[in-house]
């Protein structure tokens, strides 16, 4: 049996393969980093994953690394127990190397972290003479089937001097 090459088919296949390669290359390009923000000591500020905040009047920079675990119960189902959410940040001052901070907490259905401390939960961390406190974790899970994408998280934080 002999096969005949059909030039039009080869040209079409080359275009399809070139298109797929181009798609893969653009999908693999790193995302443009979010711009750093300036935040005031004692005032809540919001960070997205990968974003940093320079705390005005200090030498502190706080960066949101990610949300590796979110066990909160979505609004569309009734759970007997809602799990915690873990938020990873890093803090750096000119005097010390960058250090990772991990918050482990609950939120209400609006994403607000309670002001009171719970056993085994970490809502505030003292570091380099400052207290970093987590205030909110958004968005709150709405439906069981939906997964919150890493880039959708926004975390509210407050930094205060531990002397205040």
């Amino acid at each position: 049996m002999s096969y005949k090459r059909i030039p039009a088919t080869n040209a079409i296949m080359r275009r399809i393969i070139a298109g797929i390669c181009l798609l893969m290359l653009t999908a693999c390009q790193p995302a443009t980093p979010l711009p750093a923000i300036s935040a005031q000591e004692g005032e809540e500020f919001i960070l997205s994953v990968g974003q940093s905040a320079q705390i005005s009047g200090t030498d502190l920079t706080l960066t949101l690394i990610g949300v590796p675990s979110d066990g909160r119960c979505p609004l569309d189902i009734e759970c007997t127990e809602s799990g915690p959410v873990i938020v990873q940040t890093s803090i750096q001052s000119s005097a010390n190397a960058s250090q990772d901070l991990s918050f482990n907490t609950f939120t209400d259905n609006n994403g607000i972290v309670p002001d009171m401390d719970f056993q085994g939960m970490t809502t505030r961390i003292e570091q380099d003479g400052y207290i970093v406190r987590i205030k909110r974790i958004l968005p709150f899970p709405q439906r069981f089937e939906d997964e919150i994408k890493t880039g959708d998280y926004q975390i509210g934080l407050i930094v205060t001097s531990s002397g205040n």
Side-chain angles (χ1 to χ4, degrees):
M1 179 180 254
S2 68
Y3 292 98
K4 219 180 207 184
R5 253 188 166 171
I6 303 173
T9 305
N10 284 341
I12 293 170
M13 288 304 290
R14 278 195 295 259
R15 286 183 186 159
I16 290 172
I17 290 171
I20 290 172
C21 289
L22 183 61
L23 248 165
M24 288 172 48
L25 282 174
T26 56
C28 293
Q29 294 296 320
T32 304
L34 294 170
I37 63 168
S38 179
Q40 298 297 317
E41 183 182 339
E43 293 182 16
E44 183 178 357
F45 57 93
I46 304 292
L47 289 179
S48 295
V49 175
Q51 191 172 32
S52 297
Q54 167 62 45
I55 310 304
S56 297
T58 75
D59 63 348
L60 292 179
T61 300
L62 198 67
T63 303
L64 177 57
I65 297 170
V67 181
S69 175
D70 190 346
R72 297 176 292 172
C73 181
L75 288 177
D76 74 335
I77 61 173
E78 201 165 307
C79 301
T80 57
E81 187 176 287
S82 185
V85 59
I86 298 172
V87 174
Q88 291 182 323
T89 62
S90 71
I91 189 169
Q92 184 168 8
S93 68
S94 60
N96 296 315
S98 177
Q99 295 186 353
D100 289 348
L101 307 177
S102 186
F103 296 94
N104 183 13
T105 189
F106 294 102
T107 70
D108 65 14
N109 290 348
N110 295 316
I112 306 298
V113 174
D115 282 333
M116 62 187 98
D117 291 326
F118 292 95
Q119 184 176 2
M121 297 291 112
T122 307
T123 59
R124 66 186 82 216
I125 298 172
E126 189 167 341
Q127 187 73 33
D128 296 329
Y130 291 90
I131 296 171
V132 180
R133 185 163 170 250
I134 191 162
K135 293 290 287 178
R136 70 186 73 237
I137 304 166
L138 299 172
F140 189 86
Q142 299 296 306
R143 296 173 9 141
F144 181 73
E145 302 84 27
D146 297 341
E147 182 179 331
I148 299 172
K149 293 180 178 88
T150 299
D152 291 342
Y153 280 104
Q154 293 189 319
I155 309 301
L157 299 160
I158 293 180
V159 176
T160 56
S161 171
S162 59
N164 289 348

